[in-house]
Amino acid sequence: MRNFISSFVVLTSLPIVAALSIQERAKVSRSRLTEALRSPSGKLTLSPEVVIPEPSDPTAILLLSSGIASTSEMIRVQAKANAAWVEGSVTSLKMFCSEQEQSRGNFPGPIPVVYCGDSDDLAGVINAGADALMISACGGEEVTSLDDLVLDATWVEKSKAALECGLLPIPEVFISDATAQSWGEEEMEGMVSKIAELYGEDPVSILVTINPEDEENPTAQVSLPKMTKALGKRTPIIGSIRAQAGENRIGQEVARLKEAGFTGALLRSDCMPGLRMKLDLDFVGAFWSACIGDLKSLKSKSFNFQSRNWMDKSASLEWAKYQNSILESGALGDPETSVGLNTEGGDFKGF
């Protein structure tokens, strides 16, 4: 009865047109997310977590809209991210989704948006343009067995309420490093089946976040459970990456997730250098553009050359050509991208 009342409140607060197209909207969102988060080529899908803090002064408020639009465009066009996971107010979410929607019909087109906020305003979230809502399974508590998923029914009720108004829920399942060590293909398949049983259908995706043994060091390397490729085809399994940028740490985590059988990676805001809550959205967009662009680049991250006799040619001209060939190879990164990284800390060696 409580579920019916909550769903009725949500539906009556939606515009009539949206209420009449709930099933169609959910179907379109599922198709978009499935296409974006699955990887037929076998490569890991890469999506950034974009945290949009609330501005505190009038100047920041005025710059918020343009900053969000710029960040949204960079993540779609330059980074070529598979999806965007946005944390912030519903108003900020609407600005982000609006920029994506304006690109419809162009190339590259809009990418799916997953809302990571704590808002209970499901009508506001879906009207803002989000395709999915990230929901913490078991209230964010660590899951040690599949039975833990049914101990707290609150997250399941919220997931069903989201489904009933056309918003796809993506559960975030937290497990400890020790649990990840003991889990294998059977446990991961059981987790997907249990959540599908609770939802009444296969979830469009599942986000797995593994907590390190040292809680004071959330970016420490964690163990990863193994899973089959067939499971990823059924439901894309996304892994959280919180390694700090520099010394190729993010790249190593991406490789580890792929080897373990994950379908994609969510690059959390913890990866960014400096404070997590950044008001400089231009920096946020530039960072994710450089990071994801580098991780997706097919260009070699190393280079070599052959010795030849240049005695009959201009040494200065040939040296300039050689320097230019190195820059174009991508070995030194994108020369047009500057994100203010800590080069003394080794960030120049790759993400």
Side-chain angles (χ1 to χ4, degrees):
M1 182 66 181
R2 183 171 58 180
N3 287 343
F4 174 80
I5 294 175
S6 62
S7 300
F8 179 78
V9 172
V10 170
L11 293 176
T12 53
S13 61
L14 288 169
I16 295 178
V17 175
L20 293 176
S21 60
I22 286 175
Q23 292 182 346
E24 182 179 353
R25 171 178 282 186
K27 184 177 180 179
V28 171
S29 294
R30 177 174 285 272
S31 176
R32 293 186 66 210
L33 280 164
T34 299
E35 182 179 357
L37 298 180
R38 281 182 181 168
S39 181
S41 64
K43 296 180 180 179
L44 224 64
T45 61
L46 300 174
S47 306
E49 179 185 46
V50 181
V51 178
I52 306 176
E54 287 301 298
S56 57
D57 59 86
T59 302
I61 293 175
L62 292 175
L63 296 175
L64 180 65
S65 179
S66 61
I68 292 176
S70 176
T71 301
S72 174
E73 182 180 9
M74 281 191 281
I75 288 174
R76 181 185 70 257
V77 178
Q78 298 179 23
K80 295 180 174 60
N82 293 89
W85 301 56
V86 178
E87 178 181 335
S89 67
V90 175
T91 300
S92 297
L93 172 69
K94 187 173 184 178
M95 294 179 186
F96 193 98
C97 294
S98 176
E99 193 286 325
Q100 292 292 328
E101 186 60 30
Q102 289 174 6
S103 68
R104 190 169 298 280
N106 299 326
F107 181 84
I111 59 176
V113 177
V114 181
Y115 185 53
C116 307
D118 296 326
S119 176
D120 291 325
D121 182 12
L122 297 180
V125 172
I126 194 169
N127 285 333
D131 296 282
L133 174 68
M134 187 182 78
I135 298 176
S136 297
C138 304
E141 296 294 326
E142 291 181 353
V143 172
T144 58
S145 69
L146 299 181
D147 294 334
D148 293 343
L149 293 172
V150 298
L151 295 179
D152 179 11
T154 304
W155 73 277
V156 179
E157 292 178 359
K158 186 173 182 178
S159 298
K160 289 183 177 180
L163 278 170
E164 290 170 359
C165 68
L167 191 63
L168 299 175
I170 297 181
E172 180 179 19
V173 180
F174 295 85
I175 61 177
S176 67
D177 185 271
T179 301
Q181 290 183 29
S182 63
W183 277 21
E185 298 176 358
E186 183 178 349
E187 287 78 11
M188 294 302 294
E189 290 178 2
M191 180 187 67
V192 174
S193 297
K194 175 61 70 174
I195 293 176
E197 179 184 342
L198 294 172
Y199 280 7
E201 63 181 25
D202 282 350
V204 67
S205 180
I206 296 176
L207 173 64
V208 178
T209 298
I210 302 167
N211 295 326
E213 292 183 2
D214 184 4
E215 297 181 357
E216 296 182 358
N217 185 17
T219 63
Q221 191 175 83
V222 295
S223 302
L224 298 175
K226 301 290 185 179
M227 65 196 77
T228 62
K229 291 183 179 180
L231 182 62
K233 292 180 180 180
R234 173 184 174 183
T235 298
I237 309 297
I238 311 298
S240 287
I241 291 182
R242 294 181 286 191
Q244 292 182 349
E247 297 288 350
N248 198 33
R249 287 183 287 267
I250 298 178
Q252 290 173 0
E253 289 302 297
V254 168
R256 291 178 66 233
L257 284 178
K258 180 180 178 181
E259 184 180 357
F262 282 79
T263 312
L266 172 60
L267 306 177
R268 310 305 290 254
S269 56
D270 305 88
C271 297
M272 298 180 61
L275 298 176
R276 180 174 185 267
M277 302 294 284
K278 285 186 175 293
L279 283 174
D280 187 357
L281 290 175
D282 289 334
F283 175 90
V284 174
F287 172 82
W288 287 128
S289 296
C291 178
I292 298 177
D294 180 72
L295 294 172
K296 286 194 170 188
S297 175
L298 297 178
K299 295 180 180 179
S300 173
K301 301 301 187 297
S302 60
F303 60 92
N304 50 44
F305 64 94
Q306 295 178 347
S307 175
R308 296 178 61 184
N309 185 355
W310 302 107
M311 294 183 64
D312 58 342
K313 298 184 179 181
S314 169
S316 60
L317 177 59
E318 295 304 328
W319 176 247
K321 290 181 179 179
Y322 175 62
Q323 286 181 311
N324 186 56
S325 68
I326 293 175
L327 291 173
E328 292 179 347
S329 73
L332 301 181
D334 187 351
E336 298 181 358
T337 303
S338 175
V339 296
L341 302 181
N342 178 17
T343 55
E344 294 182 358
D347 291 353
F348 67 93
K349 292 187 178 179
F351 290 95

